[in-house]
């Protein structure tokens, strides 16, 4: 089960609150496609798995909304490559 992420539509990004900080994934919606342009974790959260937990939540959200994903960000692309259970969501 993934942690709850929020969809900050004003900033066009998914967010995950961790220890009072925000891990986020910038996105752009294009019809039934979700383009993930950038994933960022604060320096103190890097290496903790926070960005991976965010990505798990993003993919869960994409699946529930029937969206296909285009990982423009190299981190997002590598994460999806390593988590093949989400390969069917690639556009």
């Amino acid at each position: 089960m993934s942690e709850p992420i929020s969809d900050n539509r004003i900033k066009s990004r998914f967010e995950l609150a961790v220890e009072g900080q925000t891990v986020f994934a910038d996105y752009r919606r294009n019809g039934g496609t979700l383009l993930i342009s950038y994933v960022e974790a604060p320096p103190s959260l890097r290496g903790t798995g926070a960005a991976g937990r965010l990505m798990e939540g993003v993919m869960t959200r994409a699946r529930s909304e029937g969206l296909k994903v285009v990982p423009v960000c190299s981190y997002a692309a590598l994460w999806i490559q390593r988590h093949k259970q989400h390969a069917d969501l690639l556009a």
Side-chain angles (χ1 to χ4, degrees):
M1 183 174 174
S2 61
E3 293 178 65
I5 62 168
S6 60
D7 184 355
N8 184 334
R9 289 189 179 238
I10 293 171
K11 292 185 176 181
S12 295
R13 69 186 201 180
F14 291 107
E15 300 174 340
L16 175 64
V18 179
E19 299 175 7
Q21 300 180 77
T22 303
V23 183
F24 64 88
D26 290 335
Y27 69 80
R28 188 177 83 217
R29 291 176 186 261
N30 186 8
T33 305
L34 184 66
L35 289 90
I36 302 172
S37 58
Y38 188 69
V39 176
E40 175 72 28
S44 64
L45 293 178
R46 292 180 187 158
T48 67
R53 293 192 306 275
L54 171 71
M55 283 300 300
E56 186 67 42
V58 169
M59 300 307 280
T60 298
R61 176 75 59 99
R63 188 176 302 284
S64 72
E65 293 182 20
L67 300 172
K68 291 292 186 179
V69 176
V70 176
V72 178
C73 168
S74 60
Y75 174 82
L78 185 59
W79 188 91
I80 293 169
Q81 183 180 14
R82 290 180 176 166
H83 296 85
K84 300 206 182 291
Q85 68 270 28
H86 300 296
D88 63 307
L89 293 176
L90 291 173

